[in-house]
Each structure stands twice: as structure tokens, then as C-alpha cells.
Amino acid sequence: MDSIIPGRPEPSRPPAKLFLRTWQALSLPMLLFFAVPVVLLFTRTGPLEWLDGFRQPQVYQAIAVSLKTSLVSLLITILAGTPVAYLMGRQQFRFKKLVDTLIDLPIVLPPSVAGVALLLTLGRRGVIGESLEALGIHIAFTSAAVVIAQVFISAPFYVRSASLGFGSIDSEIEQAAQLDGASHAQVFQYIMLPLARPAFLGGCMMSWARALGEFGATIIFAGNFPGRTQTMPIAIYLGFEVDLNIALTLSVILVAISFAAILLVKSIVPAEERYSS
């Protein structure tokens, strides 16, 4: 700290309130940029228009497909992603950064590119898909393709959150339980999972919300078949050409679900576990 020389006036500093209000004013344009489109989306239509949209078969079919496939994809993500999250959170091994980058890749990868990659892998003429076709197993342009696309895009959100939860647990707790005679399975079930529960639940919510809003990979890999592969985002895209009210109704539903999911995550997962790396 600089010492104050007697007789020299102390340097002038802007008042704290003025400094705070300056930053608030500078933040306003970006906050309005986020808020205004969402507000206008809700004010563009009213409850009567939403009810009219719900009466359209395309709307409730798209909702049913999205809910069914996103819940199945979440279950698959939990079962297949938890071992990966535990490995990344609790173990050190060679090429860990490479594996970590691979897990994060679907987050930044354009969804359309993911759809093409899945089609080249599991499509009818894909590397694996061609062999499955010979066995009578069809994946591309089916409900299974929707689930696979959702898992590919949304699973990293769960793996990232759960791995941070596992990694935040003090290793001394695990060692103490093993010294008391607990097996590795018991330590995982009765200690690791309960302590990592907030991050676990937060990852589930974020993964499910992302799967619910998946569009690009789905339309390329699964196509658009009403009642089978047409999810809410696809119905919104097509609704602008057919019926704007359908697009607006489904948009309002997705925004409400996404906002609620994020709010729930913020209420159950500490900030340091959401943003630490």
C-alpha cells in the first residue's frame, strides 16, 4: 500500500456508487439483447393462440417425440457417461487432456457436422451402419437415430458436470472409508454418489435440456417424419413455412423448459462446481 505523504492531497477516486452505476450502464445493452427477444416471443402470442396451437396434431406429436426421445437419451447418458465422468474426475492417466478435449468436442462442433458424422458411421452406407443393415437393423431415419443424435450432442454436459462433482470430493474421505473395510463399490455407492449428487443432478438437467433442443444433427441423421422423428425444434423450423402459430407455441414451450432447467441447476449446484475446470 502506498504511503500518504503528509501535506500532499490524497488522489481523488470516483465514488463507489458512481463506479457501480457506470458498470451497470455498460452492462445494459447486452442484457437487453438477451431479454428483449425472449420477452417479445412471449408477448407476440397469448394463451388463446397457445391453446389453438396445442390443438394441432403436429404440435402434440412433436412434444411427445421430444419428451420420449430426450428421456431415453438422458438414461443412456447417465448409464454410459457416469463411468467416464468418474474416470475423468478421479483418475490421472496419459493423454487425459486429449480425452477431455474429445469429450468437449460435441459442445463446440456444429450440430450439422455431428449429423453428417453420425450418418457416415451408422447410416445405411456407413462404416458400421452397412453391417447392421445386412443384419436387418436399421438406425438412420428412425427414433433410435433421434436418441443417438441427442446423446452425442448432450452427453458432454452431463459428463463435464459429474466429473467436476467427483473431482471435488476429498480423497481422504475415500481412503478413510476403505480403511474401515468398505469395498470400492460401497465407497462409490454410499460416499461418492451422495457427495456428488448436486453436480450429478445439475448435469442431468443440462443434458436433458440440450437434448430437448437438439436440431441440426437430428434432422440430418434422423430426418423429419411426423410422429416418429419430428422433434419440437424441427417442427418449429417447418412451422415457419406452414403455420407460424405452431412455431411460436413450440418456441414458448422450449424457452420455458430451458429457463426452468437452468434456474433449477443454479439452485442445486454451487457456482464453483458449475464453472470450475
Side-chain angles (χ1 to χ4, degrees):
M1 181 181 296
D2 295 335
S3 60
I4 299 177
I5 301 176
R8 178 178 294 181
E10 185 178 354
S12 60
R13 298 178 181 177
K17 288 186 178 181
L18 177 61
F19 185 77
L20 177 61
R21 288 174 182 174
T22 301
W23 279 107
Q24 290 175 342
L26 293 174
S27 301
L28 188 60
M30 180 60 74
L31 295 177
L32 289 175
F33 178 72
F34 292 148
V36 170
V38 176
V39 172
L40 292 179
L41 181 63
F42 278 84
T43 57
R44 176 64 174 78
T45 58
L48 294 179
E49 288 79 5
W50 299 340
L51 290 175
D52 182 62
F54 274 116
R55 296 190 185 100
Q56 304 295 325
Q58 187 177 1
V59 172
Y60 59 75
Q61 285 178 354
I63 294 174
V65 171
S66 289
L67 291 178
K68 180 179 66 176
T69 55
S70 63
L71 290 175
V72 173
S73 70
L74 177 60
L75 178 61
I76 295 174
T77 296
I78 294 172
L79 294 177
T82 300
V84 180
Y86 185 85
L87 178 68
M88 299 302 296
R90 304 298 297 178
Q91 302 294 326
Q92 296 295 329
F93 53 90
R94 292 184 63 186
F95 308 117
K96 183 176 181 178
K97 287 187 177 180
L98 182 62
V99 175
D100 192 51
T101 303
L102 179 64
I103 294 171
D104 287 340
L105 184 61
I107 296 177
V108 298
L109 196 67
S112 57
V113 175
V116 172
L118 290 173
L119 197 61
L120 291 176
T121 304
L122 296 169
R124 294 177 180 177
R125 297 183 179 180
V127 176
I128 300 176
E130 190 173 6
S131 300
L132 295 176
E133 287 285 333
L135 298 175
I137 301 174
H138 311 285
I139 295 180
F141 306 107
T142 64
S143 297
V146 178
V147 172
I148 292 172
Q150 290 174 347
V151 171
F152 187 86
I153 295 297
S154 65
F157 292 89
Y158 169 79
V159 173
R160 170 62 60 192
S161 180
S163 65
L164 291 175
F166 286 132
S168 65
I169 300 173
D170 193 341
S171 59
E172 293 183 359
I173 299 176
E174 183 179 7
Q175 294 171 2
Q178 292 175 348
L179 289 175
D180 288 338
S183 64
H184 290 286
Q186 290 173 328
V187 171
F188 180 79
Q189 181 178 357
Y190 297 109
I191 296 178
M192 307 299 288
L193 283 181
L195 291 177
R197 184 180 292 117
F200 178 86
L201 294 177
C204 287
M205 289 303 303
M206 292 299 294
S207 180
W208 176 70
R210 182 63 187 87
L212 202 63
E214 160 51 29
F215 170 75
T218 303
I219 198 169
I220 291 177
F221 184 46
N224 172 42
F225 300 98
R228 191 173 65 179
T229 66
Q230 187 182 85
T231 59
M232 284 194 283
I234 296 176
I236 290 172
Y237 176 75
L238 297 176
F240 280 101
E241 300 179 358
V242 180
D243 188 347
L244 182 61
N245 192 36
I246 291 177
L248 292 175
T249 300
L250 290 172
S251 297
V252 167
I253 293 173
L254 279 177
V255 169
I257 291 175
S258 300
F259 185 84
I262 295 173
L263 190 62
L264 182 60
V265 169
K266 290 181 179 296
S267 65
I268 63 177
V269 182
E272 59 272 14
E273 292 187 17
R274 292 198 304 266
Y275 303 117
S276 61
S277 57

